[in-house]
Amino acid sequence: MANKRYASFFLFFMMPFSLLHKSYPQLVNQSSDEHQILLEIKRHWGSSPVLGRWSSNSAAHCNWGGITCTDGVVTGISLPNQTFIKPIPPSICLLKNLTHLDVSYNNISSPFPTMLYNCSNLKYLDLSNNAFAGKLPNDINSLPALLEHLNLSSNHFTGRIPPSIGLFPRLKSLLLDTNQFDGRYPAEDISNLADLERLTLAVLAVNPFVPGSLSNGVW
């Protein structure tokens, strides 16, 4: 009887170590993959005040400027004021745990980056103060449903804001001011954003919206 209790205790005690042993190679491989992805992003955008210090000789990419890691995996990239011109590289969405992306105050010139639809865990997206241009896509709600913050202000977006902007179930902050939108903003659709706490739509003489009202009193 004592031997059975000892055997049960031994198996219970050793199980966490066995699981750790099996998961450790996966963590190492993921870290190595993320390291290479970040270096590819650096090659795409070129040198900048922060990226210039990202080094292939340093394996500790979680300590690189602009990078946030949680439990050893990359969850955030914050690279404002880096003089970027080229579009956001699609490889950024290979970082499968990425929840936060801030590339504000650069000079990125491209249409709306629909490749970000592939960043499946994104919660915070700041593209403000760049040179993004053209119409917002009708399927902009194909951005992750987890999205809580979307800042597209101070760009060169034109046309109408698509009704699908009101289909983000968790959105708390929506900033669209200082673009060249026209027409009537989709007040009814925006009012469906039940968790919305912050909304900016227009700057006088910049976004020539036809006036509308928001039924839930969001400002």
Side-chain angles (χ1 to χ4, degrees):
M1 188 72 177
N3 289 337
K4 290 183 178 180
R5 284 199 297 267
Y6 175 78
S8 299
F9 173 79
F10 179 79
L11 290 173
F12 177 80
F13 182 76
M14 290 302 296
M15 188 176 295
F17 293 95
S18 175
L19 294 174
L20 179 62
H21 177 74
K22 291 179 180 178
S23 63
Y24 180 72
Q26 296 176 353
L27 292 174
V28 171
N29 290 337
Q30 182 173 8
S31 178
S32 178
D33 290 344
E34 291 186 337
H35 186 83
Q36 294 305 316
I37 292 167
L38 291 173
L39 290 176
E40 174 59 32
I41 291 170
K42 176 184 178 179
R43 284 190 289 270
H44 171 82
W45 268 327
S47 186
S48 75
V50 170
L51 297 191
R53 296 191 293 273
W54 289 12
S55 173
S56 58
N57 296 323
S58 171
H61 57 264
C62 287
N63 295 327
W64 290 354
I67 299 300
T68 299
C69 289
T70 304
D71 296 328
V73 298
V74 176
T75 55
I77 296 180
S78 183
L79 295 170
N81 294 295
Q82 297 300 304
T83 66
F84 297 149
I85 297 175
K86 293 182 179 180
I88 298 172
S91 57
I92 208 163
C93 289
L94 294 176
L95 300 167
K96 294 303 182 182
N97 295 284
L98 189 68
T99 62
H100 181 112
L101 178 60
D102 179 357
V103 291
S104 60
Y105 291 94
N106 284 287
N107 196 30
I108 301 173
S109 178
S110 78
F112 183 85
T114 55
M115 38 72 56
L116 292 176
Y117 294 174
N118 296 318
C119 292
S120 58
N121 285 305
L122 206 59
K123 295 181 179 180
Y124 182 103
L125 177 59
D126 191 342
L127 304 179
S128 66
N129 293 277
N130 275 282
F132 291 102
K135 296 181 179 180
L136 294 182
N138 289 328
D139 63 346
I140 193 171
N141 62 303
S142 293
L143 285 168
L146 297 174
L147 199 65
E148 296 179 355
H149 174 89
L150 178 60
N151 189 350
L152 304 179
S153 65
S154 299
N155 279 287
H156 305 306
F157 291 119
T158 58
R160 297 193 174 194
I161 298 174
S164 56
I165 200 74
L167 296 177
F168 291 101
R170 301 187 182 184
L171 201 63
K172 297 179 180 179
S173 178
L174 176 61
L175 287 73
L176 300 172
D177 62 274
T178 324
N179 283 283
Q180 285 86 50
F181 294 122
D182 55 38
R184 182 182 296 274
Y185 60 77
E188 182 176 352
D189 300 287
I190 291 175
S191 68
N192 290 328
L193 298 171
D195 292 337
L196 197 63
E197 299 172 355
R198 186 183 182 195
L199 172 66
T200 65
L201 287 172
V203 171
L204 188 62
V206 177
N207 286 346
F209 282 119
V210 174
S213 61
L214 296 177
S215 61
N216 64 354
V218 177
W219 297 90

